C-alpha cells in the first residue's frame, strides 16, 4: 500500500509537469488542440488521483505518510547535512491537493474558451500546468527546502502569467512588481529557514516539529540587550514570507496589479491557490505558531488590518477585476485572522470555500469581460442580466457566498472566523474582531455594488454593443456552474466535519494548544449546519451584511447620484481610498526611486570617482609622474650608472648581512 | 589510478599543441581548418575529462593523478601536478566552458579566426595548469601566463575601447600577482622547496602569516574580484568579445577563489581566522553595494559583470564565514557554507557564461549593448527569450536552478555564524531579482520600438546548441546538486581541516 500510494502521489505531482513540458516544448508539433488536451489530461489525472488519496485518507483512514523522493544533496560523516525532496501526505495536504487540482482543472477547461483567440495559446496552457505542478510541490512538501522550491516556483509562474501579454506595458510592470514584492517576502522566508536550520540542523517538518518545545525555550539575541524566543523569530520570519505570497498588508501592493494577466489565471493563481499558500503555510507550521503568542498576535493584527482596509478600497474601484482582487485581499485577511486566532481549521475551511466562490467570481467576471469584448470598466456595463443569464446567476451565487449570506458556503466559513476572533484571547484579537465585523458590512457593500453596476440598472454602453452581448460558450459557463455548486453547498456540508466532528477533516495535521482552542468552545454552541441559518438572524454580522446590501442597492440602483455626492462631500476620504492609502506612491518614492538613486550614487561616486578616478587612474597618473622623474636618472653617462650600481650593491649586502641570511 | 598515463599533462599541453596546429592551419579557406582543428582539440580534451572524473577517487583527500618531474631541483622548483576534487570540478568546468565559448561564437568571429581559436585553446591549457600545479612557482607561471591570451583576446577582438580595457585588465591583475610571488619566495626559502604540500605543514608565526595573507589577498582579491578592487572587470567584460567574456566570467574569476582555498586558508590559517571579519565585510559589501550598482547599469554587459562580482561575494563569504561558525561552536556545520561557496563557483560559470553568450548574440545582431536600444526582443526571438529567462532566473537564484543551490547553502551556513551576516547576504534575493528582471523586462518584454529589433532572426544552430548545453547544466545541477558536492566533499573537508588548524 505504501509503495502504491507513493506512486499515486508522484502521479499527482508529475502529471501536470508532463503536460506542461509537452505543451511547452512541442507546441509547434502538437498545435493548439494537442497542447490543450495534453495539459487537461495531465491535470485531470492529477485531480482523479487526488480524489483517490482523499478517499484513502478520510474513508480508509490511513495514517499520515512521509515519502522520500530523492536526496537532493547530502554531506558526509563530517558535514552531517541532508536535504531531500519528499512528500508528506496527510489530511491537510490531501485537502489542498483536491482544492488545487479541482480549481486548476476547471480553469484549464475555461481557458479553452477564454484564450481561444490568443496567439500564445500553447504557452498559456503550458504555464498553468507548470503552475499546478509547483503548487502541488508546495502543498505536498515534507520539508522546508521543497516548500521553498514550490513557493518560489509558483512565484515564477505567476510572474510569467501576469506578464503573459508581454507587449502591454502595464502587464510587464505588474509582473515585475509582483516578483519583487514577493522576493521581499521570500527574503524573510529564507532567513526563517536559515534560523530553523541553525537550531535544528535539519529541514524536515517532522524533525523541526519534534524540536518545537526546545525552540520555544531557546533564546536568540538579535539586537544587543534583547532576547527573543527562537520560535518567535522563526514564526515571524516565515510570516514575512506569507505576507508576500498571501498579499498581506503592507506587501499586498502587487496583487491588484497582477490583474493585468489573463482572467483565468487571476482565478486560479491570484484567488484560489497561490495567494492562499501563506495561509496554508501558517496552518502547516501550527506546531510552531502555537508556541509563540507574539507571532500569533502579529498574524491576527496584520490579517485583520488587511481584511478591513483593503476591503474598503474595493468600494471605489471601477475595474470589475480590481474589485474582485481587493475582495481577495480582504478575504485573505480573514483567513489570516483565523490563523492568528488558532482556528486553523476555520482558516483552511474558508480557504476551500473561498477557492470555489472567488474562482467563480473571477471566472464570472471573465465571462462578462469576454462578452463585453475585453471591456473591464463597470461604468460601461449595466443591465447585463438579460443578455447572459447563466453568468448572471452564477455571479450572484458567488456574490452571496462572498457576503456570507446563509446558507451559501461563505456564510459558514466566514461566520466561524468572526466568532473565533471574538472568542480568541490572543492580544490583538479584539481589534481583529471589530475589523472583521465591520469588514462583513464592507464586503456586502462592495460585492453588491459590483453586482448591481454590472448586471442591473440601465445599460451604460452604446446600443450596438449591448445588442451584441450574448452568453459565452459552454466551455466558459460549464466551469461556472461547476464552481457555483460548491459555492452553495460546500459550507453546509463541510462545516461539521471540518470543525466540530470528533475526527475533523484536518485532524492532527494541525496543532492547537488547549488554551487557544476557540473552536472547541464554539463546538458547544454548534447544533448542526441547518440550525445555524435561523440562528444567523440573531447575529450582528448578518444584519451588517444586510445593511451593506441595502446601502449598495440604495446607492447604485435607487439613487445613482449618491456615490458622486458622497465622493464630493467627503473628498478627502475619497482621495485616500482612490490613492489606496498612498502605498503605491510611497513605494515608488522610497523604494523604486531610492534604490535607483542609491545605486547611482554608489556607481558614480564610489566606483567611478573614488575607486577608478582616484585610486586606479590615480595610480596610473602617479606612475607617469614617477616615470617622468625617474627618466632624469637615465642620463646616458656611464659613471652615473656605475655609481648607482655600486651603491645598490652596498645596500643589498648590508641588508643581507644584518638580516642574517648569510651566516 | 592511471599513473602510467600523464593525464594532467595531457590536459594541459594537448590544447596548446592543438593551438599550434590551429595557427599553422591559418585563415585559409575561410578558416575552415582552423575551426575544425580547434573544435577537435576541445572534443579530445572533453574526452580526456571522462577518465579524469571516473578514475578520481572521491573518498580520498590526497592529491591524485600526481606527476613529478625534476626541473630546477637546486631551487626546489619542480614540475609537480596533482588534483583533488575541487580541482577536478574546476577542470571539468574549464574544458566545458572553452567548448561552449568556441561554439557559441562559431560564426561571430570573422577576423583572424585561427589566432582567436588558438588563444582560447592556449588559455584552456594554462587554466588547467593553474588548477593542477602543486608547486608554487609552477602555479605562478601558469597563473601569470593566463593573462597573455586574455589580454590578446580583449585587445584584438574586443570592441571600441578595447586597448584601455586590455591594459587595465593586465596591469591590475599583474600588480596583484607580484606580491604573491614575493610571498611564494619567502615561503620557498623557509621550506627549502616550493612544493605546495610542504607549505601546508610549515609552521609560521602570526606576523608572517598576516603578511603572507595580505600578499595573497591582493592578488586573489583582484582576480575574484572583490570590492574595492573590482573596477577592472566591468571594463574588461564590456570590451571583450563574447567568447572572451564567457571564459573570463566562467573560469578566470575562479582563479582568485581557487587561490584562497588552495593557498590562503591552508598556508595562513591563523591569519585567515584573524582577518575573517574583514573578509566577510568585504564580501557582504560586494553582495549589497555591487547589487545596487548593478541595478542602475545601462549597459547589459556591465550589468552582468557587476552581477558576477556580487555572486563572487558569496564565494568569499562562504570561505571566510567558516571561522565565525567555528567560533560559535558549530564546528561540524562549517561544511555547508564552504561547499556552498564552491558550488557558487561552478554554477556561476554556467549562468554567467550563458548570459554573456546571450549578450554576444544580441550584439552580433544589433551592434549595441545598451539596454535602451532593445525592447520587445521576445517578439522576434522567442527561443532566445525563453533561454535567457531561464538563465536570468538562475542568476536571480530561483530554486530549481543551479544558481539557487550555492547561495542557499551559504545563507544557511552564515546564519549559523551570525544572523545578521545571513541577513545581509540574503538581500541578494531582492537585489538579484531587481537587476536581473528589470533588465529582462527592458530588453525582452514590451512592444517593438526599434525598427532593427523587428528584423532580427532568432538564434539557431550552434547558438541553440550552446544555450541548450548550458541550460541543461543549470537545470540539472539545480534539481540534483549532489554530483558536484560528492566530488568535492572529501577535498573540502581536508582544506577545512588545514584551514582551521593553528600553525603558530
Amino acid at each position: 500500500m505504501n509503495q502504491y500510494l507513493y506512486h499515486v502521489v508522484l502521479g499527482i505531482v508529475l502529471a501536470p509537469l508532463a503536460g506542461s513540458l509537452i505543451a511547452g516544448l512541442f507546441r509547434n508539433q502538437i498545435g493548439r488542440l494537442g497542447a490543450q488536451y495534453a495539459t487537461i489530461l495531465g491535470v485531470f489525472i492529477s485531480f482523479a488521483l487526488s480524489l483517490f488519496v482523499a478517499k484513502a485518507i478520510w474513508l480508509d483512514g490511513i495514517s499520515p505518510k512521509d515519502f522520500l523522493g530523492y536526496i537532493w544533496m547530502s554531506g558526509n560523516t563530517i558535514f552531517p547535512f541532508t536535504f531531500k525532496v519528499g512528500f508528506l501526505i496527510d489530511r491537510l495536504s490531501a485537502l489542498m491537493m483536491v482544492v488545487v487540482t479541482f480549481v486548476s482543472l476547471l480553469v484549464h477547461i475555461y481557458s479553452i474558451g477564454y484564450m481561444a483567440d490568443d496567439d500564445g495559446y500553447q504557452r498559456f496552457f503550458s504555464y498553468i500546468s507548470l503552475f499546478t505542478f509547483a503548487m502541488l510541490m508546495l502543498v505536498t512538501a515534507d520539508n522546508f527546502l521543497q516548500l521553498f522550491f514550490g513557493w518560489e516556483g509558483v512565484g515564477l509562474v505567476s510572474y510569467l502569467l501576469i506578464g503573459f501579454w508581454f507587449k502591454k506595458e502595464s502587464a510587464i510592470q505588474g509582473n515585475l512588481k509582483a516578483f519583487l514584492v514577493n522576493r521581499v517576502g521570500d527574503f524573510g522566508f529564507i532567513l526563517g529557514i536559515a534560523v530553523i536550520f541553525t537550531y535544528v540542523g535539519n529541514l524536515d517538518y517532522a524533525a523541526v516539529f519534534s524540536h518545537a518545545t526546545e525552540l520555544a525555550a531557546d533564546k536568540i539575541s538579535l539586537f544587543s540587550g534583547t532576547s527573543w524566543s527562537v520560535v518567535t523569530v522563526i514564526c515571524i520570519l516565515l510570516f514575512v514570507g506569507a505576507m508576500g505570497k498571501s498579499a498581506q498588508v503592507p506587501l499586498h501592493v502587487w496583487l491588484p496589479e497582477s490583474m493585468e494577466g489573463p482572467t483565468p489565471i487571476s482565478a486560479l493563481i491570484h484567488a484560489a491557490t497561490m495567494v492562499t499558500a501563506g495561509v496554508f503555510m501558517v496552518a502547516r507550521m501550527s506546531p510552531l505558531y502555537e508556541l509563540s503568542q507574539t507571532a500569533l498576535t502579529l498574524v491576527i493584527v496584520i490579517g485583520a488590518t488587511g481584511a478591513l482596509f483593503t476591503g474598503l478600497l474595493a468600494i471605489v474601484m471601477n475595474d470589475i477585476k480590481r474589485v474582485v482582487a481587493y475582495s481577495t485581499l480582504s478575504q485573505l485577511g480573514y483567513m489570516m485572522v483565523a490563523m492568528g486566532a488558532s482556528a486553523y481549521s476555520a482558516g483552511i475551511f474558508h480557504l476551500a470555500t473561498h477557492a470555489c466562490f472567488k474562482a467563480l467570481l473571477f471566472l464570472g467576471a471573465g465571462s462578462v469581460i469576454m462578452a463585453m469584448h475585453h471591456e473591464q470598466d463597470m461604468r460601461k456595463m449595466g443591465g447585463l442580466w438579460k443578455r447572459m443569464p447563466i453568468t448572471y446567476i452564477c455571479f450572484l451565487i458567488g456574490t452571496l457566498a462572498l457576503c456570507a449570506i446563509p446558507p451559501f458556503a461563505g456564510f459558514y466559513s466566514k461566520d466561524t472566523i468572526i466568532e473565533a476572533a471574538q472568542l480568541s484571547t490572543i492580544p490583538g484579537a479584539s481589534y481583529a474582531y471589530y475589523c472583521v465585523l465591520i469588514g462583513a458590512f464592507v464586503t456586502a457593500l462592495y460585492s453588491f455594488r459590483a453586482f448591481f453596476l454590472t448586471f442591473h440598472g440601465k445599460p451604460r454602453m452604446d446600443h450596438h454593443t449591448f445588442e451584441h452581448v450574448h452568453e459565452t460558450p459552454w466551455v466558459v459557463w460549464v466551469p461556472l456552474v461547476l464552481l457555483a455548486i460548491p459555492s452553495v453547498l460546500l459550507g453546509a456540508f463541510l462545516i461539521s466535519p471540518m470543525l466540530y466532528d470528533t475526527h475533523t477533516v484536518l485532524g492532527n495535521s494541525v496543532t492547537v494548544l488547549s488554551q487557544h482552542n476557540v473552536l472547541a468552545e464554539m463546538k458547544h454552541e454548534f447544533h448542526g449546519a441547518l440550525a445555524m441559518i435561523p440562528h444567523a438572524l440573531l447575529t450582528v454580522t448578518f444584519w451588517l451584511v444586510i445593511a451593506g446590501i441595502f446601502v449598495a442597492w440604495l446607492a447604485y440602483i435607487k439613487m445613482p447620484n449618491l456615490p458622486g455626492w458622497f465622493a464630493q462631500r467627503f473628498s478627502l476620504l475619497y482621495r485616500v481610498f482612490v490613492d489606496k492609502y498612498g502605498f503605491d506612491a510611497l513605494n515608488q518614492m522610497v523604494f523604486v526611486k531610492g534604490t535607483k538613486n542609491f545605486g547611482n550614487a554608489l556607481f558614480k561616486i564610489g566606483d567611478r570617482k573614488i575607486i577608478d578616478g582616484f585610486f586606479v587612474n590615480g595610480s596610473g597618473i602617479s606612475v607617469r609622474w614617477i616615470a617622468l622623474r625617474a627618466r632624469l636618472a637615465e642620463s646616458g653617462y656611464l659613471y652615473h650608472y656605475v655609481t648607482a650600481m655600486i651603491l645598490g650593491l652596498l645596500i643589498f649586502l648590508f641588508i643581507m648581512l644584518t638580516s642574517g641570511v648569510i651566516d | 589510478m592511471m599513473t602510467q598515463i600523464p593525464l594532467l599533462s595531457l590536459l594541459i599541453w594537448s590544447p596548446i599543441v592543438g593551438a599550434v596546429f590551429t595557427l599553422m592551419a591559418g585563415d585559409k579557406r575561410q578558416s575552415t581548418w582552423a575551426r575544425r582543428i580547434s573544435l577537435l582539440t576541445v572534443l579530445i580534451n572533453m574526452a580526456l575529462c571522462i577518465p579524469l572524473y571516473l578514475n578520481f577517487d572521491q573518498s580520498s583527500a590526497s592529491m591524485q593523478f600526481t606527476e613529478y618531474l625534476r626541473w630546477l631541483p637546486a631551487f626546489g622548483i619542480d614540475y609537480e601536478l596533482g588534483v583533488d576534487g575541487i580541482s577536478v570540478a574546476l577542470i571539468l568546468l574549464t574544458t566545458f566552458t572553452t567548448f561552449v565559448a568556441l561554439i557559441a561564437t562559431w560564426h561571430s568571429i570573422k577576423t583572424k579566426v585561427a589566432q582567436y581559436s588558438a588563444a582560447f585553446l592556449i588559455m584552456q591549457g594554462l587554466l588547467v595548469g593553474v588548477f593542477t600545479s602543486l608547486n608554487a612557482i609552477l602555479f605562478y607561471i601558469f597563473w601569470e601566463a593566463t593573462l597573455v591570451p586574455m589580454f590578446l583576446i580583449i585587445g584584438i577582438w574586443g570592441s571600441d575601447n578595447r586597448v584601455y580595457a586590455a591594459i587595465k585588465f593586465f596591469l591590475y591583475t599583474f600588480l596583484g600577482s607580484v606580491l604573491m610571488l614575493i610571498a611564494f619566495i619567502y615561503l620557498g626559502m623557509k621550506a627549502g622547496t616550493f612544493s605546495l604540500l610542504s607549505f601546508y605543514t610549515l609552521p609560521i608565526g602570526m606576523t608572517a602569516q598576516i603578511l603572507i595573507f595580505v600578499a595573497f589577498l591582493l592578488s586573489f582579491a583582484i582576480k575574484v574580484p572583490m570590492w574595492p578592487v573590482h573596477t577592472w572587470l566591468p571594463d574588461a567584460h564590456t570590451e571583450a568579445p563574447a567568447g572572451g567574456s564567457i571564459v573570463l566570467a566562467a573560469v578566470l574569476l575562479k582563479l582568485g577563489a581557487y587561490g584562497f582555498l588552495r593557498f590562503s586558508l591552508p598556508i595562513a590559517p591563523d591569519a585567515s581566522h584573524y582577518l575573517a571579519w574583514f573578509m566577510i565585510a568585504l564580501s557582504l559589501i560586494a553582495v549589497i553595494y555591487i547589487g545596487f550598482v548593478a541595478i542602475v547599469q545601462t549597459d547589459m554587459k556591465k550589468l552582468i559583470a557587476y552581477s558576477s562580482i556580487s555572486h563572487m561575494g558569496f564565494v568569499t563569504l562562504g570561505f571566510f564565514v567558516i571561522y565565525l561558525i567555528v567560533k560559535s561552536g558549530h564546528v561540524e556545520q562549517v561544511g555547508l557554507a564552504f561547499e556552498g561557496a564552491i558550488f557558487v563557483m561552478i554554477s556561476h560559470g554556467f549562468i554567467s557564461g550563458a548570459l554573456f553568450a546571450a549578450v554576444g548574440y544580441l550584439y552580433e545582431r544589433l551592434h549595441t549593448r545598451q539596454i535602451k536600444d532593445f525592447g520587445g526582443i521576445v517578439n522576434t526571438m522567442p527561443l532566445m527569450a525563453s533561454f535567457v529567462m531561464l538563465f536570468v532566473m538562475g542568476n536571480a537564484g530561483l530554486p530549481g536552478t543551479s544558481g539557487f543551490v550555492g547561495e542557499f547553502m551559504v545563507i544557511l551556513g552564515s546564519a549559523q555564524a551570525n544572523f545578521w551576516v545571513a541577513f545581509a547576504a540574503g538581500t541578494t534575493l531582492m537585489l538579484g531579482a531587481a537587476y536581473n528582471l528589470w533588465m529582462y523586462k527592458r530588453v525582452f518584454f514590451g512592444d517593438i520600438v526599434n525598427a532593427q529589433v523587428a528584423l532580427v532572426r532568432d538564434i539557431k544552430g550552434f547558438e541553440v546548441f550552446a544555450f541548450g548545453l548550458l541550460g541543461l547544466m543549470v537545470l540539472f545541477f539545480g534539481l540534483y546538486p549532489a554530483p558536484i558536492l560528492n566530488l568535492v566533499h572529501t577535498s573540502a573537508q581536508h582544506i577545512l581541516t588545514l584551514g582551521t588548524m593553528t600553525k603558530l
Side-chain angles (χ1 to χ4, degrees):
Chain A
M1 179 64 193
N2 263 352
Q3 205 50 34
Y4 181 56
L5 194 64
Y6 172 57
H7 289 132
V8 171
V9 172
L10 273 190
I12 293 173
V13 174
L14 295 180
L17 177 66
S20 166
L21 290 178
I22 293 169
L25 297 179
F26 307 106
R27 58 183 177 282
N28 298 328
Q29 287 80 1
I30 59 174
R32 295 165 78 93
L33 283 182
Q36 160 195 324
Y37 288 129
T39 52
I40 291 178
L41 181 68
V43 177
F44 178 76
I45 291 173
S46 196
F47 175 59
L49 294 177
S50 297
L51 288 181
F52 175 83
V53 171
K55 173 186 167 289
I57 295 258
W58 284 299
L59 299 183
D60 308 344
I62 61 159
S63 54
K65 294 272 185 293
D66 202 337
F67 299 110
L68 172 68
Y70 64 94
I71 302 286
W72 191 61
M73 64 157 87
S74 66
N76 52 14
T77 45
I78 307 293
F79 313 139
F81 58 81
T82 302
F83 300 106
K84 61 195 178 74
V85 173
F87 306 95
L88 174 60
I89 301 306
D90 67 352
R91 293 164 162 251
L92 181 57
S93 54
L95 179 67
M96 291 300 290
M97 286 191 308
V98 173
V99 171
V100 169
T101 51
F102 173 63
V103 180
S104 176
L105 181 62
L106 294 184
V107 167
H108 272 77
I109 296 169
Y110 177 91
S111 301
I112 299 173
Y114 195 85
M115 301 305 286
D117 305 325
D118 204 283
D119 292 334
Y121 194 76
Q122 291 98 310
R123 187 163 56 96
F124 183 84
F125 278 92
S126 173
Y127 284 171
I128 50 174
S129 271
L130 184 64
F131 170 79
T132 312
F133 159 72
M135 191 69 203
L136 288 168
M137 285 295 275
L138 193 160
V139 298
T140 56
D142 73 342
N143 65 79
F144 284 92
L145 173 76
Q146 188 179 331
L147 177 68
F148 193 67
F149 170 82
W151 192 264
E152 290 249 297
V154 291
L156 167 74
V157 193
S158 158
Y159 167 80
L160 293 173
L161 279 168
I162 298 169
F164 183 78
W165 289 312
F166 47 71
K167 289 185 190 177
K168 206 163 80 171
E169 182 59 29
S170 59
I172 56 178
Q173 196 68 45
N175 75 344
L176 183 64
K177 187 168 178 180
F179 200 89
L180 293 185
V181 174
N182 265 295
R183 268 293 170 106
V184 176
D186 295 352
F187 167 60
F189 201 76
I190 202 168
L191 288 177
I193 295 176
V195 175
I196 290 173
F197 187 76
T198 303
Y199 283 85
V200 183
N202 197 326
L203 292 183
D204 295 346
Y205 293 162
V208 176
F209 294 158
S210 67
H211 284 76
T213 42
E214 293 146 52
L215 291 174
D218 272 347
K219 296 285 177 214
I220 184 172
S221 174
L222 294 184
F223 305 96
S224 58
T226 62
S227 167
W228 296 38
S229 134
V230 172
V231 82
T232 299
V233 173
I234 290 172
C235 287
I236 289 176
L237 287 170
L238 292 178
F239 184 64
V240 172
M243 284 161 72
K245 197 103 308 179
S246 288
Q248 300 291 311
V249 181
L251 297 184
H252 66 284
V253 289
W254 64 272
L255 189 66
E257 288 185 45
S258 75
M259 295 299 126
E260 297 300 333
T263 306
I265 66 118
S266 306
L268 175 62
I269 301 182
H270 306 117
T273 55
M274 181 186 86
V275 289
T276 60
V279 179
F280 161 78
M281 189 276 293
V282 176
R284 179 55 98 201
M285 298 309 141
S286 55
L288 301 181
Y289 277 88
E290 279 300 290
L291 298 176
S292 172
Q293 182 126 321
T294 319
L296 285 177
T297 299
L298 181 75
V299 171
I300 204 168
V301 168
I302 296 270
T305 308
L308 175 59
F309 290 93
T310 56
L312 285 169
L313 298 185
I315 302 173
V316 299
M317 294 295 143
N318 291 318
D319 181 323
I320 184 167
K321 276 182 76 180
R322 299 252 166 167
V323 175
V324 190
Y326 276 100
S327 139
T328 305
L329 286 176
S330 167
Q331 297 305 308
L332 288 167
Y334 274 90
M335 293 176 213
M336 279 302 179
V337 168
M339 298 292 134
S342 297
Y344 303 103
S345 289
I348 297 293
F349 183 28
H350 196 52
L351 186 159
T353 57
H354 176 260
C356 296
F357 67 72
K358 191 51 67 71
L360 171 61
L361 285 174
F362 261 121
L363 296 185
S367 175
V368 171
I369 293 167
M370 269 179 87
M372 297 286 301
H373 300 286
H374 293 272
E375 177 60 70
Q376 306 193 2
D377 193 334
M378 292 187 300
R379 286 169 299 188
K380 295 179 186 152
M381 297 177 185
L384 290 178
W385 67 276
K386 270 182 273 188
R387 314 291 311 178
M388 32 197 330
I390 303 174
T391 303
Y392 167 71
I393 291 172
C394 291
F395 200 90
L396 177 62
I397 291 172
T399 307
L400 290 170
L402 172 62
C403 295
I405 298 287
F408 293 92
F411 160 72
Y412 290 99
S413 52
K414 203 168 168 186
D415 235 37
T416 311
I417 292 178
I418 296 174
E419 208 171 323
Q422 190 181 13
L423 289 174
S424 173
T425 52
I426 291 285
S430 44
Y431 164 75
Y433 170 64
Y434 287 108
C435 281
V436 290
L437 194 63
I438 303 166
F441 168 79
V442 174
T443 309
L445 175 56
Y446 69 70
S447 320
F448 272 90
R449 168 179 175 265
F451 176 74
F452 288 140
L453 280 177
T454 308
F455 291 102
H456 287 276
K458 283 202 186 72
R460 289 178 299 279
M461 65 219 85
D462 58 72
H463 185 70
H464 179 76
T465 318
F466 186 70
E467 285 305 307
H468 282 80
V469 171
H470 53 82
E471 188 57 84
T472 40
W474 71 269
V475 284
V476 172
W477 64 254
V478 165
L480 294 186
V481 173
L482 289 179
L483 284 165
I485 296 165
S487 297
V488 180
L489 299 176
L490 195 63
F493 273 95
L494 268 187
I495 182 158
S496 188
M498 268 310 281
L499 307 175
Y500 303 122
D501 283 3
T502 345
H503 296 289
T504 56
V505 170
L506 294 184
N508 50 10
S509 58
V510 292
T511 304
V512 186
L513 296 187
S514 55
Q515 68 264 33
H516 291 159
N517 201 342
V518 286
L519 289 176
E521 259 177 82
M522 288 160 66
K523 191 174 176 177
H524 305 304
E525 308 287 320
F526 180 73
H527 306 290
L530 290 180
M532 274 182 84
I533 300 170
H535 178 259
L537 302 179
L538 305 174
T539 60
V540 190
T541 322
F542 177 77
W543 292 106
L544 279 173
V545 171
I546 297 297
I549 299 174
F550 175 73
V551 172
W553 173 81
L554 197 66
Y556 296 96
I557 298 291
K558 187 74 184 151
M559 303 165 68
N561 295 328
L562 199 62
W565 173 85
F566 190 86
Q568 240 173 6
R569 189 77 182 76
F570 300 95
S571 60
L572 188 69
L573 189 66
Y574 182 69
R575 271 261 50 94
V576 169
F577 285 167
V578 170
D579 291 340
K580 302 158 206 148
Y581 308 117
F583 273 110
D584 284 343
L586 182 83
N587 288 334
Q588 184 66 24
M589 210 164 66
V590 176
F591 294 107
V592 179
K593 282 233 177 83
T595 302
K596 283 186 198 167
N597 289 342
F598 187 58
N600 264 317
L602 290 179
F603 177 55
K604 293 197 171 129
I605 298 170
D607 263 32
R608 284 260 174 89
K609 277 230 175 80
I610 299 178
I611 298 176
D612 258 3
F614 186 73
F615 288 105
V616 178
N617 295 346
S619 28
I621 291 163
S622 38
V623 167
R624 227 173 71 148
W625 186 85
I626 294 166
L628 282 174
R629 304 289 169 294
R631 223 166 64 182
L632 299 176
E634 296 182 20
S635 56
Y637 297 110
L638 197 60
Y639 60 88
H640 281 175
Y641 298 155
V642 174
T643 319
M645 269 171 69
I646 293 171
L647 264 175
L649 273 175
L650 284 175
I651 294 170
F652 195 58
L653 263 175
F654 179 75
I655 292 172
M656 299 246 291
L657 284 172
T658 49
S659 65
V661 177
I662 301 172
D663 294 324
Chain B
M1 273 210 321
M2 311 208 321
T3 37
Q4 64 275 34
I5 298 171
L7 194 56
L8 300 182
S9 283
L10 275 177
L11 278 165
I12 298 173
W13 300 109
S14 71
I16 294 176
V17 172
V20 173
F21 283 116
T22 309
L23 284 173
M24 277 160 54
D27 286 328
K28 278 165 284 183
R29 299 186 38 204
Q30 285 90 45
S31 328
T32 316
W33 279 102
R35 286 186 205 275
R36 282 184 192 165
I37 294 170
S38 56
L39 188 63
L40 183 70
T41 312
V42 183
L43 287 175
I44 290 172
N45 272 278
M46 288 176 82
L48 287 175
C49 286
I50 298 172
L52 178 76
Y53 178 75
L54 291 181
N55 291 322
F56 180 80
D57 178 7
Q58 299 188 344
S59 60
S60 160
S62 58
M63 289 294 172
Q64 302 179 30
F65 300 98
T66 47
E67 292 173 31
Y68 183 84
L69 275 179
R70 289 164 74 81
W71 185 16
L72 297 167
F75 298 99
I77 302 173
D78 295 303
Y79 181 79
E80 252 183 297
L81 303 179
V83 287
D84 66 356
I86 299 167
S87 306
V88 171
L90 288 167
I91 291 169
L92 298 181
L93 178 69
T94 308
T95 317
F96 177 77
T97 304
T98 310
F99 176 63
V100 168
L102 277 182
I103 59 170
T105 57
W106 192 253
H107 296 292
S108 64
I109 296 295
K110 305 216 164 52
T111 55
K112 303 196 182 79
V113 179
Q115 285 94 323
Y116 177 83
S117 312
F120 277 91
L121 293 177
I122 293 172
M123 175 79 105
Q124 185 197 339
L126 297 174
L127 286 167
V128 174
V130 173
F131 294 135
T132 52
S133 299
L134 291 184
N135 186 290
I137 299 299
L138 188 65
F139 173 87
Y140 181 76
I141 291 169
F142 281 126
W143 172 278
E144 292 291 40
T146 56
L147 288 181
V148 180
M150 186 47 78
F151 175 72
L152 295 176
I153 289 170
I154 298 174
I156 297 175
W157 294 275
S159 43
D160 308 335
N161 203 9
R162 56 181 182 264
V163 177
Y164 170 76
I167 292 178
K168 192 172 179 181
F169 162 77
F170 194 91
L171 287 182
Y172 226 125
T173 48
F174 186 73
L175 182 81
S177 319
V178 174
L179 285 173
M180 176 172 75
L181 182 62
I182 295 172
F184 281 162
I185 291 171
Y186 172 83
L187 285 165
M189 283 170 71
K190 246 189 131 178
T193 166
F194 285 97
S195 170
L196 188 57
L197 298 178
S198 64
F199 287 178
Y200 287 179
T201 49
L202 196 67
I204 309 169
M206 193 61 179
T207 322
Q209 276 200 33
I210 287 181
L211 287 173
I212 290 169
F213 186 88
V214 170
F216 284 158
L217 172 62
L218 202 62
S219 100
F220 299 149
I222 287 175
K223 207 75 161 195
V224 166
M226 294 178 77
W227 184 89
V229 287
H230 63 275
T231 56
W232 63 272
L233 186 75
D235 282 318
H237 267 307
T238 3
E239 301 307 325
S245 283
I246 296 172
V247 175
L248 180 59
V251 192
L252 229 61
L253 301 190
K254 310 306 178 312
L255 293 185
Y258 179 78
F260 278 121
L261 62 81
R262 185 67 80 219
F263 292 90
S264 303
L265 297 185
I267 294 177
D270 302 290
S272 302
H273 198 151
Y274 180 69
L275 293 170
W277 259 116
F278 175 67
M279 299 300 293
I280 290 166
L282 289 187
S283 309
L284 290 177
I285 292 175
V287 172
I288 298 169
Y289 173 114
I290 299 295
F292 274 104
V293 171
I295 291 175
V296 297
Q297 293 307 308
T298 52
D299 180 312
M300 248 179 116
K301 252 187 156 176
K302 275 217 164 100
L303 192 150
I304 300 164
Y306 274 109
S307 108
S308 283
I309 305 170
S310 181
H311 282 101
M312 292 309 284
F314 267 90
V315 177
T316 46
L317 175 64
F319 286 167
F320 287 94
V321 85
I322 59 166
Y323 292 104
L324 298 193
I325 303 175
V326 173
K327 251 184 217 165
S328 53
H330 296 271
V331 185
E332 76 285 357
Q333 302 291 8
V334 293
L336 195 62
F338 191 75
E339 295 192 343
I342 295 171
F343 200 96
V344 174
M345 286 166 71
I346 306 291
S347 157
H348 175 258
F350 302 134
I351 294 171
S352 68
L355 286 174
F356 280 118
V359 182
Y361 294 168
L362 287 178
Y363 185 77
E364 198 193 329
R365 287 168 171 76
L366 296 161
H367 302 287
T368 173
R369 295 182 310 259
Q370 297 302 314
I371 292 173
K372 66 173 165 48
D373 294 339
F374 300 106
I377 296 281
V378 64
N379 296 294
T380 42
M381 303 176 74
L383 188 57
M384 165 99 170
S386 315
F387 270 115
V388 177
M389 174 55 78
L390 170 66
F391 299 132
V392 156
M393 281 297 172
N395 208 30
L398 191 84
T401 67
S402 62
F404 166 71
V405 183
E407 290 183 11
F408 175 75
M409 292 170 79
V410 174
I411 292 175
L412 256 58
S414 305
Q416 296 169 327
N418 183 309
F419 176 80
W420 294 108
V421 173
F423 182 90
T427 54
T428 195
L429 257 74
M430 296 174 281
L431 293 170
Y435 61 72
N436 280 303
L437 296 187
W438 193 36
M439 185 262 284
Y440 191 89
K441 167 181 177 267
R442 288 175 294 165
V443 172
F444 287 92
F445 283 151
D447 215 344
I448 298 174
V449 281
N450 183 336
Q452 271 187 302
V453 173
L455 297 175
V456 295
R457 54 166 186 79
D458 207 345
I459 49 171
K460 61 176 188 192
F462 273 180
E463 296 172 324
V464 179
F465 184 55
F467 260 7
L469 279 179
L470 290 163
L472 203 65
M473 294 294 163
V474 170
L475 279 178
F476 179 78
F477 290 117
L479 296 172
Y480 190 52
I484 293 180
L485 291 168
N486 290 340
L487 189 59
V488 303
H489 273 326
T490 317
S491 312
Q493 189 185 317
H494 182 60
I495 290 173
L496 280 172
T497 314
L498 293 170
T500 50
M501 208 159 51
T502 181
K503 276 187 148 192
L504 295 172

